[in-house]
Amino acid sequence: MKSIPKLIRRFVGIMMLSTILLIILNITFFAIVFVRNASTLSPWDMADNAAAALQLKDGGYSISDDLMTKLKEENTWAFLIDNDTRQVVWRTDNLPSNIPMQYTLSDIAKLTRGYIDGYPAFTGEAKNGLLVLGFPKDRFWKHTRASWDYNFIANLPKNTIIILAINIVLIFLIYVAVNSKLLRSIRPIINGIQNLSDGSPVCIKEKGVFSELAEKINKTSGILQMQAGQLRKKETARANWIAGVSHDIRTPLSMIMGYAGQLEDSKNLSEIERKKAAVIVKQSSRMKDLINGLNLATKLEYNMQPLKVKQENAISITRQVIVDFMNTNIDDKFLIEWKTADALSACYINADKDLLKRAISNLIQNSINHNENGCVIYVSVDDCNNTCKICIEDNGIGASDKQIDILNNTPHYLICDTSTTEQRHGLGLLIVKQIIKGHNGEILIGHSEYGGFKTVLIIPK
C-alpha cells in the first residue's frame, strides 16, 4: 500500500512545517518586541543625560528646558545628592513629599540598584554629586540581585539549541501518538477501497471513528459482488445462446446453400429462376459469414479464442490478404494499390497470423461493401520505431465526422444498452477492434487523404 506511507509523510510534513512556522513566528514576535522597547530611551541613558545637563550657576543648579520637558513627559522626577554632605541640594518641583532629603552610603547603594519607597530609581554621575531619577511605580521593573554564573552564559546558545531540539522531538512524539490511532483506523478503509476497485470482496470491521464509513463500504462491496455475479451469469448465458444458435443454424443453412446451388446450375430452370437461386446462394453465404463472424466476435469478447502468437512479417501477411482478394475475381470497379515503400521488405511483429489476416480482410471488404460504385483501396505498411502500422484506406464515399466519432467511441452492439429499436451494426469492424486489442495494439479510424475512409492498425513489435 503506497497510500499509508504517503499519508504518514503528509502528517509528518504538516507537523514539521507547523513547527518551523511556529518558531519563525515566535522569533519574529520577540524581535519586534525587542526592537520596539530598545528604540526608546533607556532610564539609565536618561539619568546620564540629565546628570550631564545639570549645571551649577550663581550658586544654584539648573537644567535645560528641553530635558525638563522630556522628564515631565515621562512623569519623572529628579534630585541631586551632594558628594560631601549627602544631602539633596537640588530637586524638581514634582518630587514626592515622602522622598528623604538626607542619605547614607547604604541608602545610596540601595537606591542605585533598586527602589526608593517603591519608585524605580536610576542614577547618573553629575559634576558635584549623584543625580537620581525616579519613575512611576508601574513604569519599570528592576532586578535588584542580578547575578549570572559565567558558564551558564557561555553555554546558553548550546543549551538553547538542545532545549529547542527536545521540544521538537516531544512535539513529534505527541503528534505521532495522537495520529497513530487515526492511521490504524484509516488503513483498513484504504485497503477496502482498493479491493473495491479490484473487484475483490471487502469485509471491514465496523468499529472506531470510521465505523459508519466501513459499514457503507461493506454494503457497497456486497452490492458490487451481487451485480458482478449476475453479470457473469448473463454473459455466460448470452455466449452459450450465440454458440448454440450458430451451431443449430449451420446444418439447415448448409442444406439451403447446397440445394440453391443445384438449382442455380440446373438446366431445367429458366434464367429468371436460376438468378433467384443465385441470390439465395449469395445471401446464404453472407448469412454464413455473419454467423462465423458472430461466433468469432463472441469468442474474442469473452477471451475464448486463444491467440497463437509468434514472430510474423506484417508485410508478408498483408500481401497475402491482397493476393487472396485478387484470386476471388473481385469486380473490376474495385482496385487495390500497394503503397508500401519498396525499400521496406519486412516488419516483424508478434501476432496471430490467421486473426491478423482476418482483420485486414475485414477492412478491405468494408471498403468494397460500402462503395457500390467502386473505389480504389490503398494498402500500406510502415515500420515506426517500436510499432508496425497497417493502413487501409479508399477514395470512396467515406464517412461524416459524426459517424467517425461514433465508430471510435461508441460501444458495439454486443454490449447491452437501453436502445432496443436502433441497435448498432458493424460486426466486421468490431472483430478488427477485438483482434487488435488482443495484440495489445490500437486502431484509429478517420478520413483518408484520398477522400474516403481510413483505418490504421498500430501493433507493437
Side-chain angles (χ1 to χ4, degrees):
M1 284 295 293
K2 297 180 180 179
S3 52
I4 293 297
K6 184 177 180 180
L7 189 61
I8 294 174
R9 288 196 299 270
R10 182 179 178 85
F11 282 157
V12 173
I14 293 173
M15 187 272 295
M16 295 299 295
L17 181 61
S18 302
T19 303
I20 293 172
L21 289 177
L22 187 61
I23 293 173
I24 293 174
L25 287 174
N26 278 278
I27 293 174
T28 304
F29 172 76
F30 285 112
I32 292 173
V33 171
F34 177 79
V35 170
R36 288 184 61 184
N37 286 273
S39 62
T40 60
L41 187 63
S42 72
W44 292 106
D45 291 335
M46 288 184 65
D48 289 336
N49 292 339
L54 191 62
Q55 300 293 328
L56 178 61
K57 294 181 180 179
D58 300 331
Y61 289 92
S62 64
I63 197 168
S64 65
D65 294 337
D66 292 339
L67 191 54
M68 184 58 71
T69 302
K70 179 67 176 176
L71 294 177
K72 288 181 179 180
E73 289 176 354
E74 296 289 338
N75 197 18
T76 304
W77 43 264
F79 62 89
L80 179 66
I81 303 174
D82 185 71
N83 284 337
D84 297 329
T85 63
R86 301 189 190 92
Q87 291 183 351
V88 175
V89 295
W90 174 85
R91 58 192 176 89
T92 58
D93 295 338
N94 59 343
L95 182 70
S97 59
N98 57 339
I99 299 300
M101 296 290 108
Q102 179 73 37
Y103 292 89
T104 64
L105 291 176
S106 61
D107 292 335
I108 294 173
K110 183 178 179 181
L111 70 87
T112 300
R113 73 169 183 263
Y115 300 81
I116 301 177
D117 196 25
Y119 295 96
F122 300 89
T123 59
E125 185 179 358
K127 187 174 182 180
N128 297 315
L130 183 67
L131 181 73
V132 180
L133 286 186
F135 288 83
K137 293 182 178 181
D138 58 353
R139 184 68 173 83
F140 292 104
W141 175 81
K142 296 183 69 177
H143 189 184
T144 59
R145 297 181 180 273
S147 60
W148 303 94
D149 185 85
Y150 181 82
N151 289 329
F152 171 78
I153 299 298
N155 295 326
L156 186 60
K158 181 180 70 174
N159 292 333
T160 301
I161 294 175
I162 292 174
I163 292 172
L164 182 62
I166 292 174
N167 282 321
I168 293 175
V169 172
L170 287 176
I171 292 173
F172 175 77
L173 293 177
I174 293 171
Y175 195 84
V176 170
V178 170
N179 288 284
S180 59
K181 187 175 181 180
L182 179 64
L183 291 174
R184 286 195 298 270
S185 301
I186 290 176
R187 185 187 295 273
I189 299 295
I190 296 176
N191 290 334
I193 294 174
Q194 184 177 19
N195 289 335
L196 279 180
S197 65
D198 296 337
S200 304
V202 176
C203 183
I204 305 173
K205 293 183 178 179
E206 299 174 5
K207 64 177 184 178
V209 293
F210 296 108
S211 60
E212 186 175 355
L213 181 59
E215 179 186 358
K216 299 297 182 184
I217 292 176
N218 289 337
K219 288 183 178 179
T220 303
S221 175
I223 294 172
L224 292 177
Q225 291 299 312
M226 181 182 66
Q227 292 177 343
Q230 293 175 347
L231 183 61
R232 283 193 295 270
K233 289 181 180 179
K234 289 180 180 179
E235 290 177 346
T236 302
R238 182 171 60 186
N240 291 336
W241 181 83
I242 291 174
V245 171
S246 300
H247 179 269
D248 293 340
I249 289 177
R250 281 197 185 98
T251 301
L253 186 61
S254 297
M255 295 178 64
I256 292 172
M257 292 180 66
Y259 288 131
Q262 292 177 10
L263 293 175
E264 181 184 8
D265 297 333
S266 175
K267 302 296 184 181
N268 298 325
L269 298 178
S270 64
E271 184 67 22
I272 295 176
E273 290 173 335
R274 286 200 300 272
K275 287 183 179 180
K276 291 180 180 179
V279 171
I280 295 174
V281 172
K282 182 177 181 181
Q283 295 302 320
S284 298
S285 177
R286 183 181 178 189
M287 187 180 298
K288 182 179 179 181
D289 292 339
L290 286 173
I291 293 171
N292 292 334
L294 184 60
N295 261 332
L296 178 59
T298 304
K299 290 179 180 180
L300 292 172
E301 179 75 16
Y302 300 112
N303 298 319
M304 295 185 295
Q305 174 71 29
L307 269 66
K308 302 175 182 178
V309 177
K310 64 178 182 178
Q311 195 81 358
E312 300 284 357
N313 185 356
I315 294 180
S316 297
I317 294 175
T318 308
R319 282 182 179 274
Q320 183 62 52
V321 174
I322 296 174
V323 170
D324 292 342
F325 264 94
M326 292 180 174
N327 290 336
T328 59
N329 296 320
I330 60 175
D331 199 312
D332 293 339
K333 61 185 178 181
F334 297 103
L335 299 177
I336 301 177
E337 288 193 13
W338 179 249
K339 302 294 290 186
T340 303
D342 295 336
L344 185 63
S345 59
C347 183
Y348 289 98
I349 55 175
N350 292 317
D352 185 316
K353 182 178 180 180
D354 293 334
L355 287 179
L356 186 57
K357 287 177 66 177
R358 177 66 180 270
I360 299 171
S361 176
N362 281 4
L363 294 177
I364 296 175
Q365 189 63 50
N366 276 349
S367 294
I368 295 174
N369 293 340
H370 292 90
N371 294 282
E372 295 181 357
N373 297 324
C375 66
V376 180
I377 303 170
Y378 304 93
V379 182
S380 64
V381 180
D382 292 321
D383 189 346
C384 301
N385 297 326
N386 297 321
T387 61
C388 179
K389 291 185 178 181
I390 302 173
C391 178
I392 291 89
E393 53 187 328
D394 58 59
N395 63 351
I397 60 175
S400 65
D401 292 337
K402 182 178 180 181
Q403 289 173 325
I404 289 177
D405 182 66
I406 291 174
L407 291 172
N408 276 315
N409 302 305
T410 306
H412 55 78
Y413 69 82
L414 286 181
I415 295 178
C416 296
D417 56 21
T418 57
S419 176
T420 57
T421 58
E422 296 182 3
Q423 291 290 345
R424 290 177 288 273
H425 296 279
L427 185 59
L429 194 57
L430 163 65
I431 294 174
V432 174
K433 287 184 177 181
Q434 292 175 326
I435 291 174
I436 300 305
K437 180 181 178 182
H439 287 79
N440 298 317
E442 182 182 3
I443 178 171
L444 301 178
I445 301 172
H447 299 287
S448 170
E449 63 181 55
Y450 302 102
F453 194 75
K454 176 181 180 180
T455 306
V456 180
L457 308 180
I458 304 175
I459 304 174
K461 292 183 177 179

